[in-house]
């Protein structure tokens, strides 16, 4: 498994994928829809799929001495690794905003959502959507990625829009907590986001393995 | 002894059908897989590598079915396709360094030998190589892990006559070491030069699969050359 992940990182991945992980730091921007950071990380991942297709990567991988489903596993592992790293950077930003800058005016006077644990949970949902809609859609053919990516973009921005609007709904102000306010609810929301990510990824992976087995390369 | 058994492979496409393809390959022999463009050579080879999903039929290597033993079998076989370019902007050194980790039996000295033999500069990228050199790189990758069976899809296409000769000499050398070489081609002189067995496919069906001498005895008329025999057979199939 280490070998296929290494192959993904060294041969298949676009340099932009690694560079776009830095968009995680958008969680530090005041007055900006911070969840767009998660979208840009996904856009970076999309670049790898584009460059891999130009390099006949899927066929090359299928010829390696691994089972066909391990080709799918390699892609999912790589994507989850990048997403995991992005979430880690976003978590650092969130901790920074919850502690050092918990009372900073430029964050408090923000009409948009605060980068808190709820936002981190939603970032996990966006990554889960990428894995479910884009990766799952891509492995139906292993070469067509425009349609699954457009579907992902639409669904990701719907989630961003809803998440950004939620704290303006009376009774839901808690989702925009600052510092350690409503910490237990915040943690619960983060865990919910992570569970959604987990199920979306696992279900998509299983379906992708089945589809890829039937594809003619 | 048959180390590769292909039995009753069938694959239906809207405009083409692979029908009841069966043949065996033996160790220490070179089998030439001949047929005109579109005859079904690549479809058969892709089925043998689980790259396409046949409608029915089985493929087994070393007495084991490909299904369920894919990783183990792929470690013991080598595959190369004509001029497909993998990772055009990566250095060959980098591609090889990644690929060799998948093979327990990767032979670095053998790799160095073929690198030198084919005059390949591992600092170059596939984008910087001619079509012929790409074929050689693909072959080098297939040869460097001591494969017991080599499956080669048109390995001599795009090569100059001298390079083709070099490749055919490599096949003969490998055959003498006990390797089974299976290569598809539409260049009949390549078959005449080095193949022990001939598998002839036309219109998605195997028309003949036997030792070269037996094949000539069965299909050739008078002092007809192998090339003339194939041309006559193809003309007959076209008119049928």
């Amino acid at each position: 498994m280490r070998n296929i992940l290494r192959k993904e990182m060294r041969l298949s991945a676009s340099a932009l994928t690694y560079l776009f992980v830095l968009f995680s730091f958008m969680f530090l921007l005041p007055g900006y829809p911070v969840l767009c950071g998660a979208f840009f990380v996904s856009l970076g991942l999309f670049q790898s799929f584009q460059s891999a297709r130009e390099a006949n990567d899927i066929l090359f991988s299928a010829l390696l001495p691994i089972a066909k489903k391990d080709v799918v596993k390699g892609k999912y592992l790589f994507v989850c690794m990048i997403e995991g790293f992005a979430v880690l950077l976003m978590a650092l930003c969130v901790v920074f905003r919850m502690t050092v800058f918990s009372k900073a005016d430029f964050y408090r006077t923000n009409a948009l959502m605060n980068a808190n644990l709820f936002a981190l949970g939603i970032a996990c949902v966006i990554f889960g959507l990428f894995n479910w809609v884009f990766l799952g859609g891509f492995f139906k053919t292993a070469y067509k990625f425009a349609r699954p990516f457009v579907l992902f973009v639409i669904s990701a921005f719907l989630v961003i829009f809803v998440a950004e609007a939620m704290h303006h709904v009376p009774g839901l102000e808690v989702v925009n907590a600052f510092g350690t306010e409503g910490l237990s609810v915040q943690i619960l929301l983060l865990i919910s986001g992570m569970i959604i990510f987990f199920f979306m990824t696992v279900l998509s992976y299983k379906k992708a393995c089945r589809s890829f087995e039937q594809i003619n390369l | 002894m048959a180390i590769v058994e292909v039995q009753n492979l069938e694959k239906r496409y809207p405009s083409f059908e692979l029908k009841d393809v069966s043949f065996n390959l033996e160790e220490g022999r070179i089998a030439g897989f001949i047929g005109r463009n579109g005859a079904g050579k690549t479809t058969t080879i892709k089925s043998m590598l689980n790259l396409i999903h046949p409608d029915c039929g089985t493929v087994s290597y070393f007495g084991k079915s490909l299904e369920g033993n894919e990783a183990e079998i792929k470690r013991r076989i080598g595959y190369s396709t004509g001029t497909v370019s993998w990772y055009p902007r990566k250095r060959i050194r980098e591609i090889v360094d990644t690929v060799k980790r998948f093979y327990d039996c990767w032979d670095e000295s053998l790799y160095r030998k073929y690198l030198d033999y084919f005059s390949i500069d591992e600092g170059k990228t596939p984008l910087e190589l001619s079509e012929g050199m790409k074929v050689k790189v693909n072959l080098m990758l297939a040869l460097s892990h001591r494969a017991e069976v080599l499956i080669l899809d048109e390995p001599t296409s795009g090569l100059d006559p001298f390079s083709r000769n070099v490749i055919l000499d490599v096949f003969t050398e490998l055959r003498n070491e006990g390797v089974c070489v299976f290569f598809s081609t539409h260049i009949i002189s390549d078959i005449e030069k080095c193949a022990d067995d001939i598998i002839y496919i036309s219109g998605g069906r195997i028309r003949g699969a036997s030792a070269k001498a037996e094949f000539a005895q069965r299909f050739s008329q008078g002092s007809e050359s192998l090339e003339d025999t194939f041309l006559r057979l193809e003309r007959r199939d076209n008119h049928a």
Side-chain angles (χ1 to χ4, degrees), chain A residues 3-4 6-7 10-12 55-57 59-60 62-68 213-217, chain B residues 11 46 50-53 70-71 74-75 79 84-88 90 94-95 97-99 101-103:
Chain A
N3 287 335
I4 189 74
R6 186 188 167 89
K7 189 232 77 174
R10 290 194 63 190
L11 297 182
S12 319
N56 293 312
D57 169 73
L59 184 58
F60 182 85
L63 289 167
L64 289 170
I66 51 175
K68 214 170 162 185
E213 199 59 49
Q214 299 302 320
I215 288 171
N216 297 322
L217 294 171
Chain B
K11 179 75 185 173
K46 284 188 166 184
N50 197 25
L51 294 178
I52 65 169
H53 205 75
E70 199 179 345
K74 281 183 183 171
R75 257 192 294 274
Y79 167 76
V84 174
S85 173
W86 317 110
Y87 309 107
K90 300 282 180 189
E94 202 177 343
I95 297 172
D97 186 53
T98 307
V99 168
R101 290 164 198 273
F102 286 87
Y103 296 96

Side-chain angles (χ1 to χ4, degrees), chain A residues 34-192:
Chain A
V34 289
L35 287 171
C36 287
F39 172 76
F40 286 128
V41 173
S42 307
L43 189 61
L45 281 164
F46 175 68
Q47 297 292 332
S48 278
F49 281 81
Q50 268 187 317
S51 62
R53 192 172 73 171
E54 286 164 19
N56 293 312
D57 169 73
I58 291 285
L59 184 58
F60 182 85
S61 307
L63 289 167
L64 289 170
I66 51 175
K68 214 170 162 185
K69 66 175 176 359
D70 288 337
V71 176
V72 180
K73 194 183 274 183
K75 290 280 174 219
Y76 273 78
L77 275 177
F78 174 72
V79 167
C80 288
M81 183 193 77
I82 294 291
E83 290 168 343
F85 194 59
V87 168
L88 203 69
L89 292 183
M90 288 171 186
L92 282 176
C93 300
V94 168
V95 169
F96 201 57
R97 285 179 67 156
M98 283 172 76
T99 53
V100 183
F101 286 110
S102 66
K103 292 186 170 58
D105 278 348
F106 52 87
Y107 284 137
R108 291 248 170 196
T109 54
N110 184 7
L112 296 166
M113 78 186 289
N114 182 27
N116 53 19
L117 294 179
F118 169 66
L120 200 58
I122 295 294
C124 290
V125 173
I126 292 170
F127 289 142
L129 272 175
F130 182 81
N131 300 351
W132 191 33
V133 179
F134 176 73
L135 276 184
F138 171 74
F139 276 108
K140 280 182 186 166
T141 59
Y143 71 94
K144 282 184 186 172
F145 50 54
R147 189 171 181 269
F149 190 68
V150 169
L151 288 175
F152 162 69
V153 172
I154 294 168
S155 52
F157 275 98
L158 269 174
V159 169
I160 293 172
F161 176 78
V162 171
E164 285 286 350
M166 267 175 87
H167 69 275
H168 296 291
V169 177
L172 293 179
E173 295 83 359
V174 67
V175 299
N176 205 36
F178 288 88
T180 51
E181 294 163 11
L183 194 60
S184 52
V185 179
Q186 289 285 311
I187 291 172
L188 197 70
L189 291 170
L190 170 63
I191 292 171
S192 305

